[in-house]
Every structure is written in C-alpha cells, then in structure tokens.
Amino acid sequence: MQTNDSAQRVGKKFICGEPKATMLRRGCFFPPGSCQGNSVERKIYIPLNKTAPCVRLLNATHQIGCQSSISGDTGVIHVVEKEEDLNWVLADGPHPPYMILLDGNLFNRRVMLQLKGTSRVSGLAVAIAKPSPPQGFSPGLKCPNDGFGVYSKDYGPQFAHCNNTVWNPLGSGLSYEDFDFPIFLLEDANETQVIKQCYQDHNVPRDGSGPEYPLCAMQLFSHMHAVTSTVTCMRRSSLQSTFSINPEVIDLLSQYSIPLSACAFLTPPVHALQIDSHSFFWNIAPGAESAVSSFVTHLAAAEALHKASDVHLLQRNIMFTFFQGETFDYIGSSRMVYDMEKDKFPLRLDNIHSFVEMNQVALRNASVLWMHTDPVSRLNKSVEVQVRILLDILSNSSVGANVTLQEAGYSQPLPPSSFQRFLRARHIPGVVLTDHRTAFQNRYYQSMYDTPENIQMQYPEGLSPEETLEYVTDTAKSLAEVATVVARALYRLAGGANNTSAIQADPKTVSRMLYGFLIKMNNSWFQSIIKPDIKGILGDVPQHYVAVSSPVNTTYLVQYVLANLTGTVVNLTKEECLNPEKTPSSEKELYEYAWVQGSLEPNSTARVPYCVRSTVRLSKALSPAFELRQWGSTEYSTWTESRWKEIRARIFLVASKELEIITLVVGIAILIFSLLTTYFINAKADVLFSIPRDPGAVAY
C-alpha cells in the first residue's frame, strides 16, 4: 500500500517537565530512513497522517483527557460498528489488549466508560460519523463554566449550578473525564478505510474462532508530561526554575482579547462575545454555532455602524470586544474585569454604560432572538430602569426586520456568558442575545460536529473557491439581519437620534467571513487584509481552539478583519506605516497602524499593499490566577495543557508471541554461535592465518 509522509499534529503545549527545545513544530515528520525508497520502516509501518489526539488538560483540582505510555501503546485492531461488537473486545477476544476502531455514532459516555474500566483496551481510534449523529453529541458539561459565573450561594443561589435551567442537556461531560489510554480522531475517510481493510484481511474471526497470526495492529503515541493538577504542575515547574540552570518552564492557556473603540470613553456601551471553542480532540474546534455565528454577526454589526454617516457625532463610543478563552472558565472576560479593577485598562467598570452580548444566534426558531437579563441585579430599582430602557431599544430596533426580539422572562437566569464575569464585580445593566430561551438549540455544543452543516450553510455544487467565497448563503442573510438589528440598537444606545433605516449589515461581508472562519482560511480576501509577515497563519481548515501559542490564528484574523471593516486606509508609505511615531500627525497613542498585503493586481502575481489605521487593539487574556500565583484559585480559571514530545499513529502486522519468542531464541543462539566462532577463530588465528614459508628460501 502506498502512503504519504506522515504529518504530525504536534506543537508547542503547556506541559510540565519538557523543554521547549524538544517540541516538534506542526508539519511533516519523516520517519528514520524514509528518504530511502526501500526503507525497512516504510515496509513495516503505515503512518496515519490525518489524526487529532485527545490531550491532557489540568485545572486546580483535576486532570482530564488522555495519554499513552512513554513508548506508545500497541494493540490488535478490532472494528466496533455496533455495541454488540464490544463483547469481543471486553470478554471473548483471545488477543488482548485491543486497539478499537470505533464508529463515531458509538463515541458516547456509556460506551467510553465501559472501555475505561478494562485492561483489555490499549487505545481508541474514532472515525468521524457522517452525517453527524442525529441524536446530537456534546462532550461538554451540562452546566458550562459552572462555579465561575455570577450565580453562587451568595448571589442568586436558586440559579447556581444550573438549578433553574440546564443549558446543555445533551452534555455528557466526556471531555472532562480522565482516560489512561490514547484516543485519536481519524479525520481522513481514506485512512479509516485502510485500517478497516487491514482488519478485514487479518483480524476478522473465522468460523467462530479467533483469527490467526499475523494480525493487524495499531500503535498510538501521545505521552503527556503533566500530571495530577495545575497546582502540582506549577509547583514542580517553579522548583525546577529555582534550582535548574536551564529551567523547563510551563506554558499557560492564554491568548489575547480584542477590544475596539476610540480613546476617550464616555460611559460607553460594551458589545461583547467569545471567539474560542473546544471539543474532545486537540485543535478540533470548528465552533460554527457556539462561537463563529456570534462573532461574525458582531463584526458585521461593527461594519454597519461604522458606515453610518453620523457615527462620529455619537455621544458615546461603543467598545466591541472579542474574548478569548471563555470556554475555559471565562479566561478573557475575567482578565479584562481584573485589569479594569486594577486600573490596568483604559476603561473602568464604573464607566460602562451598558452591556450587550451575543451568544449562539444562528439556530433561531421562527426568527426569534431571545433577550436574557439577570433577575438578581434587576431587583435594584436603578438597574431595573436601565435594563428596561435597554430592552425597549433592542425591541424597537427589530421593528420592520425579519428578526423578532422577545424577553426570555424575568425569572430566567443568564445563560453561560462573559457578562456574568462583569456582574460579579458590579451591577451593570445588560442583555445577552441568544437563539434559545432555555436549553441550547445547538445539539453539538463544544464538539467536532459543530460545523457549517450545523448552521445550515449550503452551497451549490460546482462552484470554484472564489465563487464560494462570494456566494451569499441563506445563513449569511439571516445573520446579517441580526447584525442589522444589533447595529441599530447600539446606535441608539450611543446616543444616535437619526433614522436608523440606513444602518444595514452587508450579507456579502457575512458570507465572506463565514467562508473564511468555517471553511477555508486561506482565501483571497483574508490574504488581502493581513500583514505579509503573518500570512503563514492562513491554514486550510479553520479551528478556534484557544491553544497556548499566542495569539492563535483566530485572534489574528479577527483583529485584521475588524481593522479592515472599521478602519481607514491612510496615505502613508510602508516606512511611515511601520513606524508611525516618526510621523507627527499619526496620533500613535490613539490608533494602530498595519501595512497589509492588499489584493492581487489583475492578471498578475503582484499585490497592491496599503496602510490601515484603526482603533483595534489586543489585550492580554491570561488568567489572573497565574499572575497572582494562585494556582488553586476558585475565583479565576486555572486551566493548563500538558506538553508532549510527539503525537503520531501507525498500523502494522504483528506476529504471535510464540513466533516472537522463537525468533528471539534463534537470534540469541546465532549471537552465541557467532561469538564462539569469533573466539575460536581469534584463538587459532596464528594457525589459520599463518603465512606459509617459501621452500626455496635459505636461512643462515
């Protein structure tokens, strides 16, 4: 069978105990000798190139995720396509331990807990279910970010721990289990078929009896270096940093959030949301409904408002904010609140006029968008008055639109949202907009199936990539309508008094963003709006996992899309744009400048670069727990991610134990015979290798 060179999904990770110098960059990995066409290794092993591992994560009290042994785990492959097939693995099969190729429809908590409790399983490879499981699949928690929002025993105890509303009823909590064997996702259907064919040829039981050797086996490498908890990991790293000349440091789950506004704040309304997602497998986080639908709508609203003719006359500025790390106990929003409280941010908490957040808005029933408020803070009369004004402005902004805004109910608590972290610090009037009144509409929350198909993105067949980029889908039209309503409401909140009918989000812009953030990042539009030195971030398949490299691709792209939609093209040379402080009129303290690639010239490979001036800035999204060295904090997120040396998978044929023992014994026997022969030859070398005397020679 022909195979390609294996590409490993590995990278810089938060890990205890392994120096960064040993980390492999994500990219092509060539096994030893693979440059030789007749390599022994290439004849023995078939590498699996398109895989994604489950990795280990840690917080203040637990470790979750998966890992292999330090030398990798190996087992005989058994294909499980229905639950009855598990009997062979768990009881009947004569060749344990087994590596299971599991059908994606069986990847659920019930099956996984069965496999977790046995020593007959050495690992798992999961084939993606196509189409997505109709019953839904969410490995997240039923109550996301429980304990880190606003509701607790001291604040709205009746709403704490989702007592009133279970937001994610399909949540199995599978992502928060700890497995002591490796679990990989098979992303390529062709590789899945290769494994199944190997299983069919060698491992299928014949006539009720076990298959005969050689058997098809799989080996998975995903050894993790961190153990127990963030507290343990950070303590060990701290000690090591103290006593080691070359300390091995631990990285932390951190990113950058993106606030946008002018410099002079006059009690601005804040418009916020999260831009990260998560799933069971590392760096597999499409987040179509859980993140992308919201931040694309957010960006479209910013553009629509920016185009308003009198936007520069508004009484208040509007701060558009994109939080990173919200999936992991509100990393981004908690850091911004912390910085505001410590006067490390240009805006203070008491300067915030109001708060509007969007959170999952693509799966609306009958075009209804629900407005959620906090019933506890509304008990304060002044807050209640301001919240009522906010609700009225939002409702009035939807008049004449294809979107209807309705209140979720006075007694309904806030869904999981960044706004909760602000309420922990101060009573701020605010609203969270969602497509669900109670439980999530999203059946694939925090899973690998939260894809474009989940939000009904459909394209006609036969379109080229460029045509697909420009094609306006029904989903884009729907989200543009939401963006229009939100932009008009923000205009009113900022003090705008003119007619808002001219404020209109562009469905074409929404289409481009959906295509770029969900289907293909490396497209002509994204290429034209980023800096030349970061064009390498444009991969093919977008993922929105927060990761540990900083900033991640999503952060960069949201930053430059926002700058493109709300910034101004200025007439500066490349030198002036890259060094604005040298230009007296640049107002560097107010603006950010970026020299971007620009579009391709017609019939040419050359680009037309230009300078963009904007008020888009990055703000650190590192949990305050690590700055305060409170690694066991229950106030702030403490999530870290383990480091590893290598992530790879391969299949091969394995011989029986008897044959392996015979081969070993014969090898030892040959070795002993070789040693004895060598000893004998060396001892008798003077006899065996003596030079015969010339009979004609005469000695005197």
Side-chain angles (χ1 to χ4, degrees), residues 434-690:
T434 72
D435 56 19
H436 54 87
R437 182 177 185 179
T438 53
F440 295 162
Q441 298 277 14
N442 188 3
R443 295 176 299 154
Y444 305 108
Y445 182 73
Q446 290 187 0
S447 89
M448 55 194 170
Y449 300 114
D450 192 6
T451 59
E453 292 76 17
N454 185 35
I455 59 173
Q456 287 87 50
M457 279 181 62
Q458 298 178 345
Y459 295 93
E461 294 183 3
L463 295 182
S464 67
E466 200 64 26
E467 291 170 336
T468 308
L469 172 67
E470 301 294 338
Y471 182 81
V472 179
T473 62
D474 290 339
T475 301
K477 295 175 184 177
S478 175
L479 293 179
E481 291 169 352
V482 176
T484 296
V485 171
V486 171
R488 291 173 179 177
L490 292 174
Y491 174 83
R492 292 294 186 208
L493 286 171
N498 293 335
N499 189 287
T500 59
S501 59
I503 299 177
Q504 192 77 36
D506 186 357
K508 187 174 181 179
T509 300
V510 176
S511 289
R512 286 179 167 185
M513 290 190 289
L514 288 174
Y515 179 82
F517 286 113
L518 287 176
I519 297 177
K520 188 176 182 180
M521 280 187 169
N522 193 12
N523 61 73
S524 60
W525 187 48
F526 278 5
Q527 290 169 8
S528 69
I529 64 175
I530 65 170
K531 292 180 178 180
D533 58 341
I534 62 167
K535 60 184 179 182
I537 69 172
L538 296 178
D540 280 336
V541 181
Q543 302 296 344
H544 306 292
Y545 176 56
V546 62
V548 300
S549 58
S550 194
V552 291
N553 298 0
T554 303
T555 304
Y556 271 131
L557 288 172
V558 170
Q559 177 188 7
Y560 286 105
V561 169
L562 187 58
N564 176 267
L565 298 179
T566 63
T568 304
V569 177
V570 291
N571 187 24
L572 295 178
T573 66
K574 180 178 180 180
E575 179 65 23
E576 292 171 335
C577 191
L578 295 178
N579 301 281
E581 66 278 359
K582 296 180 181 179
T583 305
S585 60
S586 66
E587 298 181 289
K588 179 69 170 106
E589 67 280 2
L590 294 180
Y591 299 106
E592 290 288 315
Y593 291 81
W595 184 258
V596 300
Q597 293 192 119
S599 302
L600 289 171
E601 292 181 337
N603 304 317
S604 173
T605 57
R607 293 185 176 275
V608 185
Y610 55 92
C611 186
V612 175
R613 184 183 69 187
S614 72
T615 55
V616 180
R617 299 176 184 271
L618 295 180
S619 175
K620 185 177 289 187
L622 171 67
S623 172
F626 299 108
E627 186 165 302
L628 298 170
R629 298 179 67 83
Q630 296 176 0
W631 305 322
S633 173
T634 57
E635 170 71 13
Y636 300 112
S637 171
T638 56
W639 285 105
T640 56
E641 181 184 88
S642 179
R643 279 191 189 154
W644 59 79
K645 274 191 175 181
E646 62 176 348
I647 299 290
R648 60 190 175 104
R650 59 189 185 181
I651 62 173
F652 57 95
L653 294 181
V654 62
S656 66
K657 294 294 183 184
E658 292 79 6
L659 180 58
E660 290 177 347
I661 293 173
I662 292 173
T663 303
L664 177 63
V665 171
V666 170
I668 294 173
I670 292 175
L671 175 63
I672 294 173
F673 177 77
S674 300
L675 293 173
L676 291 175
T677 301
T678 302
Y679 174 79
F680 173 77
I681 293 174
N682 185 62
K684 301 296 183 180
D686 57 334
V687 177
L688 295 173
F689 304 109
S690 61

Side-chain angles (χ1 to χ4, degrees), residues 323-529:
F323 291 120
Q324 267 284 14
E326 296 302 273
T327 302
F328 293 97
D329 298 337
Y330 305 118
I331 293 176
S333 55
S334 63
R335 178 54 188 251
M336 182 171 284
V337 171
Y338 173 81
D339 286 345
M340 287 179 174
E341 291 178 322
K342 301 298 181 182
D343 291 332
K344 296 180 180 180
F345 194 80
L347 180 67
R348 295 184 178 182
L349 281 170
D350 54 8
N351 293 137
I352 297 177
H353 171 270
S354 54
F355 200 103
V356 179
E357 179 174 353
M358 280 192 292
N359 191 339
Q360 302 190 80
V361 294
L363 300 177
R364 305 190 305 281
N365 283 333
S367 297
V368 174
L369 208 59
W370 295 97
M371 300 183 291
H372 300 263
T373 58
D374 173 39
V376 179
S377 61
R378 290 181 68 177
L379 295 175
N380 181 297
K381 290 185 178 180
S382 63
V383 172
E384 166 63 18
V385 170
Q386 295 175 72
V387 169
R388 177 49 54 192
I389 293 172
L390 183 57
L391 292 171
D392 290 342
I393 289 175
L394 284 164
S395 298
N396 293 335
S397 298
S398 66
V399 175
N402 292 326
V403 179
T404 303
L405 270 69
Q406 295 184 16
E407 288 189 56
Y410 187 86
S411 60
Q412 178 79 15
L414 287 170
S417 53
S418 304
F419 180 41
Q420 292 200 31
R421 291 299 305 192
F422 285 79
L423 281 176
R424 285 175 71 126
R426 182 175 177 271
H427 284 175
I428 299 171
V431 173
V432 178
L433 304 176
T434 72
D435 56 19
H436 54 87
R437 182 177 185 179
T438 53
F440 295 162
Q441 298 277 14
N442 188 3
R443 295 176 299 154
Y444 305 108
Y445 182 73
Q446 290 187 0
S447 89
M448 55 194 170
Y449 300 114
D450 192 6
T451 59
E453 292 76 17
N454 185 35
I455 59 173
Q456 287 87 50
M457 279 181 62
Q458 298 178 345
Y459 295 93
E461 294 183 3
L463 295 182
S464 67
E466 200 64 26
E467 291 170 336
T468 308
L469 172 67
E470 301 294 338
Y471 182 81
V472 179
T473 62
D474 290 339
T475 301
K477 295 175 184 177
S478 175
L479 293 179
E481 291 169 352
V482 176
T484 296
V485 171
V486 171
R488 291 173 179 177
L490 292 174
Y491 174 83
R492 292 294 186 208
L493 286 171
N498 293 335
N499 189 287
T500 59
S501 59
I503 299 177
Q504 192 77 36
D506 186 357
K508 187 174 181 179
T509 300
V510 176
S511 289
R512 286 179 167 185
M513 290 190 289
L514 288 174
Y515 179 82
F517 286 113
L518 287 176
I519 297 177
K520 188 176 182 180
M521 280 187 169
N522 193 12
N523 61 73
S524 60
W525 187 48
F526 278 5
Q527 290 169 8
S528 69
I529 64 175

